[in-house]
């Protein structure tokens, strides 16, 4: 048995240990740059910023919302094109230009009466560490900072902007017994 297969087995064991917590998740909170995108910023000559979003992450966000998972975006970056993407995906709760993610998430949870046990978060850098006490599960994309990885529940196999969000959503929906139906029968967006 080689290192890669041992590592895969170890990851699968970690996912199974998180199974009960995954079943309780009703709110998936996501950082944007480095999670929904690869973290790169492309600047046009006029100063406008372009970002690349993964289509498979987007599809899984649609499926998650249809399955009753609320999606919340919290980003230190400015919104512009991210607002457009959030609108395309039907995400209604988003906060951009956030300086203190802990305070923003805590206030949101208090306002909506959301328990920590129902929250999972995906972040990629040191500014995401502060939300650790506010979520049941904290995930780090494969290419996240070592500081965040060291305190996360699991380092994902996929990188930010390249399937990390999809990986988490599939696991949440699997734990809820929902994903198997989508992977077997497909999915059609309801209007």
């Amino acid at each position: 048995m080689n290192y890669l297969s041992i590592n895969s087995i170890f990851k699968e064991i970690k996912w199974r240990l998180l199974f009960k917590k995954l079943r309780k998740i009703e709110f998936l909170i996501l950082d944007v740059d480095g999670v929904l995108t690869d973290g790169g910023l492309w600047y046009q000559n006029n100063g406008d910023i372009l970002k690349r979003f993964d289509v498979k992450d987007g599809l899984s966000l649609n499926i998650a919302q249809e399955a009753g998972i609320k999606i919340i975006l919290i980003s230190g970056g400015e919104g512009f094109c991210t607002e457009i993407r959030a609108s395309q995906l039907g995400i209604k709760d988003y906060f951009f230009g956030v300086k203190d993610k802990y305070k923003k998430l805590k206030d949101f949870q208090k306002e909506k009466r959301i328990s920590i046990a129902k929250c999972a978060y995906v972040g990629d850098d040191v500014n995401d560490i502060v939300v650790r006490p506010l979520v049941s599960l904290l995930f780090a994309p494969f290419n996240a900072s070592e500081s965040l990885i060291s305190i996360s529940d699991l380092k994902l196999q996929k990188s930010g902007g390249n399937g990390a969000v999809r990986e988490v959503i599939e696991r949440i929906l699997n734990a809820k017994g929902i994903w198997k139906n989508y992977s077997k029968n497909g999915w059609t967006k309801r209007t």
Side-chain angles (χ1 to χ4, degrees), residues 151-164:
I151 62 130
S152 70
D153 290 291
L154 192 76
K155 176 182 173 183
L156 301 169
Q157 292 179 335
K158 303 288 185 175
S159 293
N162 289 295

Side-chain angles (χ1 to χ4, degrees), residues 20-177:
K20 286 183 182 179
K21 285 185 174 185
L22 286 165
R23 274 200 336 225
K24 294 178 184 176
I25 298 303
E26 294 178 19
F27 297 86
L28 180 58
I29 303 114
L30 305 170
D31 179 29
V32 176
D33 299 319
V35 173
L36 284 172
T37 75
D38 64 7
L41 298 175
W42 294 292
Y43 285 87
Q44 293 183 309
N45 289 336
N46 64 3
D48 287 347
I49 297 173
L50 301 174
K51 297 180 184 184
R52 178 195 163 278
F53 295 90
D54 187 287
V55 172
K56 289 180 181 164
D57 284 345
L59 178 63
S60 67
L61 287 163
N62 281 323
I63 292 170
Q65 290 176 99
E66 180 181 286
I69 306 293
K70 306 284 186 287
I71 307 299
I72 299 101
L73 305 180
I74 298 180
S75 177
E78 294 304 320
F80 312 124
C81 53
T82 308
E83 269 187 70
I84 294 167
R85 186 65 176 144
S87 177
Q88 289 172 338
L89 295 170
I91 298 170
K92 299 194 181 358
D93 295 308
Y94 51 81
F95 309 97
F96 304 125
V98 175
K99 303 297 181 223
D100 185 344
K101 290 184 179 186
Y102 178 89
K103 182 175 179 354
K104 180 56 77 178
L105 181 53
K106 181 131 178 100
D107 290 348
F108 183 78
Q109 287 171 320
K110 185 177 180 183
E111 176 190 332
K112 303 288 185 179
R113 297 185 176 149
I114 301 168
S115 93
I116 290 170
K118 295 179 180 181
C119 295
Y121 187 92
V122 185
D124 74 310
D125 217 332
V126 295
N127 61 335
D128 297 304
I129 292 172
V130 298
V131 304
R132 173 74 260 195
L134 301 175
V135 297
S136 173
L137 293 168
L138 176 65
F139 297 105
F142 186 80
N143 59 338
S145 73
E146 286 302 319
S147 300
L148 184 74
I149 290 169
S150 71
I151 62 130
S152 70
D153 290 291
L154 192 76
K155 176 182 173 183
L156 301 169
Q157 292 179 335
K158 303 288 185 175
S159 293
N162 289 295
V165 172
R166 173 72 172 255
E167 183 178 345
V168 170
I169 289 172
E170 283 188 23
R171 292 296 183 152
I172 291 169
L173 297 182
N174 240 332
K176 292 177 177 287

